[in-house]
């Protein structure tokens, strides 16, 4: 899947950990459902709680959000259309989608990397430390 905020087969607990770490209302990510094969879960952070909305793919390839009885169901041609729709306020979610929580492009799991001071430099534009890894050592417990 082309979305950076799609985390694939992560657990509900890992999802909650990632969203809680960000801790901003409207933060969201997409993951595979643990209980319904082929379904996706749209997980949204709001007021220290994680709300999960199941997304189902219809036989014609279109997507729809699973809703409670009596709520209108909207069908979207693409997953991108569905996400774009729920970025708008008052579309039926607890809060609109504002801040995608992207997966790490290199590693899914956190790894401890040891570097020397010479191998790291500060990126003033992003206020972060960039690590140039020339030699590294992974320590596993």
């Amino acid at each position: 899947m082309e979305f950076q905020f799609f985390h694939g087969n992560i657990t509900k607990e890992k999802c909650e950990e990632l969203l809680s770490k960000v801790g901003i209302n409207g933060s969201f990510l997409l993951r595979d459902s643990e209980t319904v094969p082929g379904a996706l879960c749209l997980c949204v952070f709001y007021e220290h709680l994680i709300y999960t909305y199941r997304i189902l793919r219809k036989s014609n390839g279109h997507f729809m959000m699973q809703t409670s009885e009596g709520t209108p169901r909207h069908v979207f041609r693409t997953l991108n259309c569905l996400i774009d729709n729920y970025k708008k306020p008052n579309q039926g979610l607890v809060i609109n989608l504002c801040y995608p929580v992207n997966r790490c492009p290199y590693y899914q799991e956190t790894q401890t990397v040891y570097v020397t001071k010479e191998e790291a430099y500060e990126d003033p534009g992003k206020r972060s430390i960039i690590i140039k890894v020339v030699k590294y050592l992974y320590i596993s417990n």
Side-chain angles (χ1 to χ4, degrees), residues 12-108:
K12 176 184 174 185
E13 291 76 21
K14 181 68 175 176
C15 168
E16 290 175 353
E17 176 188 322
L18 290 169
L19 288 170
S20 295
K21 196 179 287 185
V22 172
I24 301 172
N25 289 342
S27 298
F28 69 96
L29 62 80
L30 199 60
R31 65 177 176 84
D32 290 323
S33 172
E34 292 179 282
T35 56
V36 179
L40 299 170
C41 292
L42 176 63
C43 304
V44 184
F45 182 91
Y46 181 69
E47 297 296 323
H48 305 286
L49 295 173
I50 310 300
Y51 293 82
T52 302
Y53 302 92
R54 191 168 286 136
I55 298 173
L56 304 172
R57 191 161 197 175
K58 298 175 61 98
S59 59
N60 64 1
H62 294 182
F63 295 88
M64 66 179 234
M65 190 90 72
Q66 190 175 39
T67 58
S68 55
E69 196 78 25
T71 306
R73 294 180 184 218
H74 301 288
V75 178
F76 302 91
R77 284 184 339 121
T78 67
L79 192 52
N80 197 39
C81 290
L82 183 145
I83 297 296
D84 284 346
N85 179 72
Y86 290 104
K87 286 181 178 179
K88 300 176 210 162
N90 304 317
Q91 297 299 310
L93 301 184
V94 65
I95 189 170
N96 57 305
L97 306 177
C98 300
Y99 308 104
V101 176
N102 294 336
R103 68 183 180 276
C104 177
Y106 304 108
Y107 303 106
Q108 284 296 95

Side-chain angles (χ1 to χ4, degrees), residues 11 26 66 83 131 136:
T11 64
Q66 190 175 39
I83 297 296
I131 299 174
Y136 48 87

